[in-house]
Amino acid sequence: MAYETAKFIHIIGIIMLLGNVTATAIWKFFADRSKDAKIVGFGQRLVTLTDWSLTVWGAALTMIGGYGAAIIAQMDLVGERWLFWGQILFIATGVLWLGILVPLQIRLARLAKGFQAGGEIPDAYWRASRWWFIVGLAITVPLVAAAWVMVVKPNGL
C-alpha cells in the first residue's frame, strides 16, 4: 500500500505540474493577445501566482512521490536506464526553469505592475513575453519527455 500511495502522490504532482505549465501558457497567450493593459497585467499576476502555488508544489510532489516509490520498491535510481534518464530530463527542466524562466517571469511581473492599473504596455514587456513563450516551450519539451520515459520505460535508453 505504501508504494501505491507514493506512486499516487507522484502522479498527482505530474498532473499539477504539466497541467499548470500547459494551462498557464494558453491563458497568458490569450491575455497578451487582448493587448488590454488590465487583462495582460492580471494574466501576468496569475502566471506568477499559479507557478508558485501549482508548479512548485507539483514539482515537489512529483519528486517526493517518485523517490518515495523508488525507495519503497528498491529500484536502482542509476542502473535502471529509463529511471536515470527520467531524472536527468526532470532535473534539466528544473534547472532551466529556475535559471531562465523564473528570472524572466519576475521581470514580467515587475513590468506588469507598472501598467496593470491602465496605461501603455512597454515594448520591454512584449519582448520579455515573447522570450517567456519561446523558453517556456523549450523547457516543456524535456518535461514531457521525462513523463513519457516514466510511463513507457523504454529498454533502449
Side-chain angles (χ1 to χ4, degrees):
M1 187 63 163
Y3 173 79
E4 287 80 9
T5 301
K7 191 172 180 180
F8 177 75
I9 291 167
H10 182 63
I11 292 169
I12 291 298
I14 292 166
I15 291 168
M16 288 174 66
L17 184 58
L18 283 173
N20 185 59
V21 165
T22 305
T24 299
I26 291 168
W27 50 257
K28 179 177 172 22
F29 171 79
F30 284 106
D32 281 4
R33 193 169 156 198
S34 76
K35 306 237 188 261
D36 180 313
K38 290 180 183 179
I39 294 171
V40 171
F42 179 73
Q44 187 59 51
R45 192 176 60 157
L46 287 181
V47 166
T48 303
L49 176 67
T50 59
D51 254 10
W52 293 114
S53 61
L54 294 173
T55 302
V56 169
W57 283 106
L61 291 175
T62 298
M63 290 187 297
I64 291 166
Y67 284 115
I71 290 166
I72 292 165
Q74 298 178 343
M75 293 178 177
D76 183 351
L77 294 171
V78 177
E80 292 283 344
R81 304 279 295 159
W82 66 269
L83 196 51
F84 172 77
W85 283 107
Q87 291 174 87
I88 294 298
L89 290 163
F90 186 79
I91 290 166
T93 299
V95 167
L96 293 168
W97 184 71
L98 288 169
I100 300 171
L101 206 60
V102 168
L104 190 54
Q105 199 162 291
I106 290 168
R107 182 166 186 251
L108 284 164
R110 287 183 180 148
L111 287 165
K113 276 186 180 181
F115 64 75
Q116 186 175 354
E120 193 70 28
I121 302 172
D123 287 339
Y125 176 85
W126 296 120
R127 281 191 304 276
S129 187
R130 266 191 305 278
W131 276 112
W132 183 88
F133 278 108
I134 292 166
V135 171
L137 180 60
I139 291 172
T140 302
V141 171
L143 181 60
V144 171
W148 180 84
V149 166
M150 291 295 165
V151 170
V152 176
K153 299 174 180 65
N155 292 328
L157 287 180

